[in-house]
Structures are given as C-alpha cells and as structure tokens.
Amino acid sequence: MAPQRNRRPGFSRRAQYVLFIGYVAAALGALLGAVLLVLSTLNPPAYAIVRGALRELTTPVSSGLHGMRRGITGIPRGIGEYFGVIEENRRMRADIKRNRALVEKARQLVLENARLRRLLAVRDRGTEQVAVARLVNASSSSTRRYATLNAGYWQGVRTGQPVRGPEGLIGRILETSPNTARVLLAVDPESIVPVRRTRDGVPGIVTGRGDGLLEIRSATIANLPFRAGDLFVTSGTGGIYPPGIPVARVLRNTRDLAEARPLADPDRLDFAVVERPYLPPPPPAPKPESAPK
C-alpha cells in the first residue's frame, strides 16, 4: 500500500520541535512581561534601569531598520524630485530676482537692530549645541509620545535639555543612558511649552494632546481670538527652551483655545539637535549655619 501524502503534524518530529519551541517562547515572554510589570509597580528606579538597558540593546537594530525603511520609501520621492528639478530651479531663480530688494532691506534692518541693541546694552544669551544624533524611533500608537535618541550621557546629553529639528521644536530629554536618551515629545500630554505669537507677541502655553496635535491657550488675555495660520515660537520663559524656536501653527479660527499642528514631525526626521537649556538652573540655596553652642 502506498504511503499517505498528507500526514498529520503529530507524526513529524520537526513539527513537534517547532511547536514545543513556540510554547517555550510564549511562556518565557509571559514570564518576562509579568516580571517587568511587578518591577515597574514595586521599584520604578530599577525598572528605569532595565528599560535603559533594553534601549541600549535594541537601538542599533532599530537604527539599521530605520535606515533601510527611509532608503526604500525615499526611492519614489527621489525619482519625482529628479524629474521636477528643472522646473524647480526656474521657479527658484525667479524668486531670487523678486526677493533681492527684500533681502537688502532685511540686511539694513539687521544692522539697525544690532546698532540699537548696542545702544541699549541688551545682553543676549546664545544657545549651545550639545550633540547631533539620530532619532531612532517615535511612539505613535499610544497617548504617551516618546522618542529614542542614539546619544546619551557619554555624549553630554542630560535630563531637561531641549531637542529641536530643522523645522522646529521636538521636545526635551526625559531619561538618559550611556548611549541613548528618551525624549518627551512636545505632543505628549505631559509636555508644557511657553510660547508667543509672532505677529503680535502675545504669550501662550502649548500642551500636547497625545494624538499628534497641540493645544494653545493664552497666558494673559481671556477669550483671545486665534486665526488660522498663526505661528507660535518659544518665548524663553521657564529657562528650558531658547526663544524663537518654531513650535506650532494654528489650524482654524477660534477663541480661547486653539488646535494647532506641530511644525516638527519626529516620524519624518532623521536627526535632531540637543541643546543646553536657555538659562542654567539656579544654584541651590545655601544651608543655614547652625548657631554656635
């Protein structure tokens, strides 16, 4: 009698091994998850150390996968940019000719502004760059919004330092490990950024919503009108974020509370700049000396 072609998996030793390994992996994963859950509840500092160690192990793999994904997804865009480069160059040349007068006027205003600052003895504090690193990943599937930076305290990154990209503010450093750092994004609900409106200097407060958008409230005027397209930049209040970093643009006309879109999208950024806080933290108050006995 000829042997049967379709044999059940139970007769295959290889299938039994694969099934057994799957059960073992599932059990180990469940055990590891339970241990981490208990550790995060009973000992948060130890859990933070374990989380930092996991970031150190997974960041190189995430960096490689991120680079491959960016390279593959960038092929169609590169082809489109290649065919449109000639028309783009023509438009840019026309824009340069039209804007020469505006550039000259802007240069005169810069010189006049510098002269007035010297007359008023205004003291400016420049920003100091700490590190330029790659944004490995950013959480986008939960209400808490974090990102991982492949630079840590060995590269000078410290907790509380602001993080920005070419388009605007990204967030601030929340945790550090030797070669990685955890970034609290500006769109996270726990993020609070003091800002001002560029067209009139009205101060405001930007908070995250957890869904990729921001909320802007006025810091001084009740029932403040917002217009679609209003641009808000950091004000420097609080001493963390340097003034003038673009943060958000209002989406629609409203009053008192505005919905805005962040100008910097971490999901589309490759690199970010870590800077020192705008103002250093104040020194600790001296301890009162004990009275002599």
Side-chain angles (χ1 to χ4, degrees), residues 122-288:
V122 176
R123 182 182 179 185
D124 288 331
R125 181 181 179 86
T127 58
E128 184 178 352
Q129 181 176 302
V130 175
V132 178
R134 185 183 295 274
L135 277 173
V136 176
N137 54 54
S139 60
S140 58
S141 59
S142 65
T143 56
R144 301 308 307 272
R145 302 301 304 273
Y146 302 104
T148 300
L149 199 70
N150 68 342
Y153 57 75
W154 283 357
Q155 290 77 33
V157 179
R158 297 293 184 269
T159 301
Q161 292 176 341
V163 183
R164 62 175 299 175
E167 293 84 5
L169 183 68
I170 297 175
R172 60 182 173 87
I173 301 297
L174 189 63
E175 293 178 359
T176 59
S177 55
N179 290 298
T180 63
R182 199 179 194 195
V183 181
L184 179 70
L185 300 179
V187 294
D188 186 86
E190 297 295 327
S191 173
I192 299 176
V193 182
V195 296
R196 61 177 176 85
R197 190 160 55 186
T198 55
R199 63 182 173 89
D200 54 10
V202 171
I205 300 294
V206 169
T207 57
R209 300 199 326 181
D211 60 353
L213 297 178
L214 301 169
E215 288 183 350
I216 304 178
R217 297 178 182 270
S218 171
T220 56
I221 304 174
N223 201 21
L224 176 71
F226 293 93
R227 295 193 308 209
D230 280 349
L231 177 64
F232 283 82
V233 299
T234 53
S235 63
T237 304
I240 296 179
Y241 305 104
I245 302 177
V247 179
R249 191 179 298 275
V250 176
L251 294 178
R252 58 184 60 88
N253 297 340
T254 183
R255 302 184 72 87
D256 191 34
L257 179 65
E259 185 182 63
R261 185 176 301 279
L263 296 179
D265 184 1
D267 295 329
R268 299 182 179 180
L269 293 177
D270 284 335
F271 295 93
V273 178
V274 182
E275 298 178 346
R276 297 194 185 278
Y278 178 55
L279 295 175
K287 298 181 179 179

